[in-house]
Structure formats: C-alpha cells, structure tokens
Amino acid sequence: MTSTTADTRTASTTTDPGGDTGTALAEVELLIGGMTCASCAARVEKKLNRMDGVTATVNYATEKARISHPATTEVADLIATVVKTGYTAEEPAPPPEPADGPATARGHDGNGGDDDPELSALRRRLTVSVLLAAPVVLLAMVPALQFDNWQWLSLTLAAPVVVWGGLPFHRAAWTGVRHGAATMDTLVSLGTLAAFGWSLWALFFGDAGMPGMRHGFDLTVSRADGASAIYLEAAAGVTAFLLLGRWLEARAKRRAGATLRALMELGAKDVAVLRDGGEVRIPVARLAVGDRFVVRPGEKIATDGTVTEGASAVDTSLLTGESVPVDVAVGDAVTGATVNAGGRLVVEATRVGADTRLARMAKLVEDAQSGKARVQRLADRISGVFVPVVLLIAVATFGGWLGATGDTVAAFTAAVAVLIIACPCALGLATPTALLVGTGRGAQLGILIKGPEVLESTRRVDTVVLDKTGTVTTGRMTLHEVYAAEGTDEEELLRLAGAVEHASEHPVARAVAAGAEERLGALPGVEDFENVPGRGVRARVAGREVAVGRLYDGLPPDVAAARDEAERRGRTAVVVGWDGEARGVVAVADAVKETSAEAVTRLRQLGLTPVLLTGDNRRVAESVAAAVGIDEVIAEVLPEEKAAVVERLRAEGRTVAMVGDGVNDAAALATADLGLALGTGTDAAIEAGDLTLVRGDLRVAADAIRLSRRTLSTIKGNLVWAFGYNVAALPLAAAGLLNPMIAGAAMAFSSVFVVTNSLRLRAFH
C-alpha cells in the first residue's frame, strides 16, 4: 500500500516569493491540534506567513497546515511558531511497515464511526452533559415542575456541565487570552460562565436561593428582579447544545474525509513475487521496479505494471468508476488496486510506492482538500475580525439596555444571547466541508480536482477546446472501408493487403493488418518483403507480387475515384494491387470514440461552445467534427502552436477550458483557464491539467465541470446561510428577542445545517 504522507518534504529550486530568485524551497505538511474554529486556523496561518519566505495554508476541516518554506528554515522553527500561537503541531507519522501476510484494516470504518479516540471522548462528554442538563432545562422551562429548593438541584446538575462539559471551550478560550486572541471559544466561554456566575451570585447573595422560589420561562427578554433571576438552564443548555454541534461537526468531518482514507486503503497488502522459479509472498511495500508478480483471478493488482504473461479482464471500477471490465493481454499496462476478474496474469512492476497511479490520485485529492478557494479566504478574513466585533457588540448591548431600562437582568441576558448566537462555527465549516465531500466524491467517480481554485474557473468557462487525437478519437488507426475494382474479389484484396502489411510496423499498416485478421482470420505468409521509404511496401504472397501504398503511378478511373472519395471523408487511402496493376483501395482512419458525440452534447447543455483543435489536415478534422457535432474547427496546428491558439481565444474575451491527453497538449492545458487532462494520457498532460479524468471517456469532462460547479454552489450556499444567519441573528439578540439557550441551539443547528448541506454532494451522479 502506498501513502501520500510517507515523504512530506520535497525540495525544489524555485522562486522564493519572499526573497531572492533561485532560493531552494521545501514543502512540509503539519498536523495542527487545538483548533476549534476558523478564526483559530486564520491565526495560525497569519503567524506562519509572517515568517521570512514562508507561505502557509491552514485548513480547519482537515486540521492540517501545508507550508512552503526556504530550505534553510528548520521544520522545528515552524512547529515552534505554531506552539507560540497556542496550538500544537507535528509532522504526520510515516505509515507503519506492513507485516508479512494480509494486513488488518485500520481502526475506523471510514463512515464517521466513533472508534476515533477524540470522537469517543467528545461523545462521552456530550452524553453526560445532555443527561445532566435535560432536567435543569425542564425545571426552568416548566414552572409546574418547580418544587421547593428545585434551584439547588439545578445548580448541582448544571455545575458539572458548565465546568467539565464546557472544559474544551474554557481551555481554548484561556489559551487565546494568554496569546492575546479572541476566538469562537471566547464567546462561548464568556457567555456560559457569565450566565453561571450570575446564577451563583443570585443563589448565594440574592433571593434566588430562598425556598419556594419560582420563575417563569420566556423566549424573549423580560424585566425581572436581578437578585432572584438564575440562568442555570441557559449555561447548561447552551453547553450541551454546543457540544452536540461540535460532535456532529467532528463526525461529519470524518465522513467527509472518508473517501480519501478509503482511496488510500484500496491497494493490495501483499503480493506473490516470482523469485528463483517460485512464488514468494511479500508485503507490497517491498516491491521494486522490475519485479514480476502473479495476480490470480479475484486478486488485486499490487502495483502499476505491464502484463508479461496471460490474458484477462480487469475490473477498474474502484479507480475509474467504469463498470465494464477492461481486457488486457501481454504488453498491456495495468494499474495497482484494480481487480483481476479473469485469468492468471504475470505482471512486471513499472511503478511502486508514491509513483503509482493510486498514490498520485490520493495526493491530488489531498492537495485539493488542503487548499483554499477564493471564497474560503474571504470567510477566513471575516472570521478573523468577527469575534472582536461581537465582543464590542455584546458590551454595547449590555450598556445600551442598562442605560435605557436600568434593568441589569435584561441587559445581561441580551449580552449573553449576543455572545452565544454570534459564534462563527458555520462560517468556518462552510467551505472546507463542501471541498472535502466534493473532491472525495469526484475521486470515487474518476474525477480528480487538483485544487479549490479550480472551482471558480469552472463557473466562468464558456468555451471548451478539445484535442482530437486520443481525446475525441481513440488515437489508433482503424480499418474502415475496402473498395475492390471491377473483377476483383474484395476478400482477396483485403487478405493480400493484410498479409503484406502484417510484416510492417507502420501505424497504417498495423491498422490494415488488424482489420484483415478481424474480418478474415489467419493471413497467409509473405516472402521477399521490401519497404519502399515514403511510398509503401511490397512482397510475394501466394505466388503474387503484391504492392500496397503509393507505388502505382497511374490508377484506373474507378480506383482513383475511390481513393479521392476516401480522402474527402478524412480517411487515409492505401492503394492495393498485384502483378503490376492497381486492384483497389483500403481506407483507414483514427476512429472516433463511441462516447464522443454524447460528450459534446453534454458539454453544449452546460452552456459551453466546443472547438476541435488538431494538427491533422482540415479535411480529416472536419470529418471528425461533423461526426461528433462540433461546428468550430482549428486544424493543421503545430504542437507548439496549441498554447498560442488557446491564448488567442482568451484574447477574444472567451474563458477557455482545454481537454487533452498528450505531451503536446501540456502547454495548452496550462495556458487555458481550466485544463482537463485525460488520465489515460501522458504524465506531462496530467501534471499540467487542473482536473484529471481518470478514465479516457470524454463524457467525464462534462461530469467534472458539473461536479465542480455543484461544489462551488454548495460552498456559496453555505456561506450565504452562515454569514446571513449571523448578520440576521445578532440584531435580534441585541434587541432582546432571543433567550441565550435558544440562541445556543440555533447556533449549533447552523453548523449542523452547513455540514449536512455539504454531505448532499455524496449523492452526486
């Protein structure tokens, strides 16, 4: 099994954004502990970015910091900076060495189960707090339940909830105070301790502790005698509600990240390697490039490689989402973590460890989930100033009510409601949870989103440029038509042409030979084979001198007409003859993928204008474009000119997406506003693209754009709800229209709503 965290530091000689060019930069990923809200993440990020030459991104949902720093900066210095800010930091532990034999599953179910130690501890704290807080709330809300000295029972039950149940909030708030920062926990801790402290004063020094004390319950602020008012139900209820919200957040974050964890665990755990004529079972981690290993029916292929013996069907659905197995034979490439569904295979390893396709997929998904979209940076800035502003509003609310009414209880209640309702949890979760779920769902469907900034690009794109060869077409020449002159048998023409071409390595020759074998079966042998450079081939077949290519100077009218018609339709025409006379024409062409026409239709439905871009001649390009429904064709473009064509389209005011698979597409993919690389293509193209489509089906391009747009709209919906909720609720709380406990419940619901809304992306098809 491979892991993306096995080597977290990679140095490269690039330009240091904060220093001189040519400075070597290193990257490191740190696990950040102690963060409780988006403003925590913003503080850590701000402190790290103040270090010379350091560029850091801190993600609250994944609890990770991705840091680019000068190679001269020690990781220990980065960790020390985080610790000084009031949080913990450490490098991810390397994956454990697998033991011999099948590995056992990790200690989580991938679905947000509670076997995670932190989640289990939070659940225990929540359970105890709910059990203790429920009677307190009931006694306060239902006057009929209030017996003599009920308030002392409420204090006995509420104290553990506020002190022990709310300990995570108080501890985090104190850490913030020591480092001169105010966070969401500052609001929670101040609000609950203020309500609890007021209640203690009223019980011990006021009239609230008198036997027979009663008080009603109202959802709004009302005048009361400050010495007899207690808010134990607010302190305990708010704490319980916030713990519930935090537990649901933590559980949902685990569910959201489950796809990446599942992706990491897809690989085989051990493998049967061929050594000294026998099979030796070893952990996959010990495989080396060049090792030959056996894959039996039903087993997972251990790593990326090439089939050296056997033939089978391989189920690639775990990686590509494609349900139809792929047939493989000797010489075909296979991918690690796919399942051998047929016969016995012997595979030679070509990639191992972090170089495998599975590891690169996981790395792309993790990078996307760790990054930040532009909308997230806006949310971080809002969270950074929101808490201090809320504290000022709470003070102003208390002063305003006290000055206007002289009622300390009303002023205190309104101020506590402001503190509780304003917690920006939902704001901090709005973007990362949607990113986690959206990118994870994409990985399941064979769509890898390289970074969150890609999402904004998909919304603006109006033109999609499609490379022809390997993208719209299969990239392989295929036999299409056979035309035999009058008096010539069509099967005989194809048999002789196929026999001669079978001895040639030219792509056109291979297409003719393969087509002949498919239609007619075994082909006769040849003698005296000769390759005439630039013109064709000839050989002796069954006593005849057969020539294939352009070896005839003059053609009969019907053969010439057939050749011209084939070329008009964008085919490559090959003249076939024997005994000195041209007898007919076979036509080959790069076959259009069966799914390309449907894919173009789907792209149009998304409001995109498709453009076909190719280095082929215009006649061939227009033939392919007509077959799939593309109106705009740019043909006869040199590989190095493709990027210039994309730049020209952008200069016309278009926002351009580029879909390609070859080395010659890499520059164009990087130049486009949005690059979509087919995962069946070259590494250069995949590295240059913003989105990688794991299987070579163009229809997935439309799915990728739809998923990206859906994820972006979910993020925006979350932000509108979260920010709009806080903006709308603050004036209500300041106006005295919300009880602190109801405010706490509403705030917790806001966070749960945002996470639940993000989880809807798991149903994307």
Side-chain angles (χ1 to χ4, degrees), residues 316-323 357 361 443-446 694-695:
T316 63
S317 59
L318 287 174
L319 289 187
T320 67
E322 176 58 65
S323 58
R357 195 177 198 185
M361 282 177 63
Q444 289 178 329
L445 297 174
V694 177
R695 64 181 196 259

Side-chain angles (χ1 to χ4, degrees), residues 396-571:
T397 299
F398 182 82
W401 272 84
L402 194 61
T405 65
D407 189 337
T408 309
V409 173
F412 168 78
T413 307
V416 170
V418 166
L419 290 173
I420 298 299
I421 199 70
C423 300
C425 303
L427 199 59
L429 289 167
T431 298
T433 52
L435 272 178
L436 279 169
V437 182
T439 53
R441 181 59 181 150
Q444 289 178 329
L445 297 174
I447 301 163
L448 304 183
I449 301 171
K450 188 168 282 188
E453 65 281 351
V454 171
L455 304 177
E456 273 106 355
S457 300
T458 60
R459 179 176 54 84
R460 300 191 306 269
V461 165
D462 53 33
T463 301
V464 57
V465 176
L466 305 174
D467 169 58
K468 180 182 78 69
T469 306
T471 302
V472 176
T473 65
T474 61
R476 298 186 306 274
M477 301 298 278
T478 308
L479 178 66
H480 281 259
E481 293 96 12
V482 178
Y483 173 80
E486 189 175 347
T488 302
D489 181 67
E490 184 177 300
E491 286 192 6
E492 180 73 0
L493 179 85
L494 183 57
R495 180 177 289 106
L496 295 175
V500 176
E501 295 284 52
H502 195 273
S504 173
E505 291 300 316
H506 193 280
V508 171
R510 288 202 300 267
V512 173
E517 280 186 315
E518 186 179 333
R519 297 186 189 188
L520 305 175
L523 301 173
V526 301
E527 299 174 344
D528 303 329
F529 176 82
E530 181 187 359
N531 182 17
V532 183
R535 300 199 68 193
V537 293
R538 55 188 167 209
R540 180 181 293 277
V541 185
R544 290 174 170 166
E545 296 287 343
V546 182
V548 182
R550 294 183 293 164
L551 296 171
Y552 296 94
D553 295 327
L555 298 178
D558 55 344
V559 176
R563 180 197 62 190
D564 294 343
E565 173 62 18
E567 291 180 346
R568 186 188 65 79
R569 297 174 62 184
R571 317 284 198 218

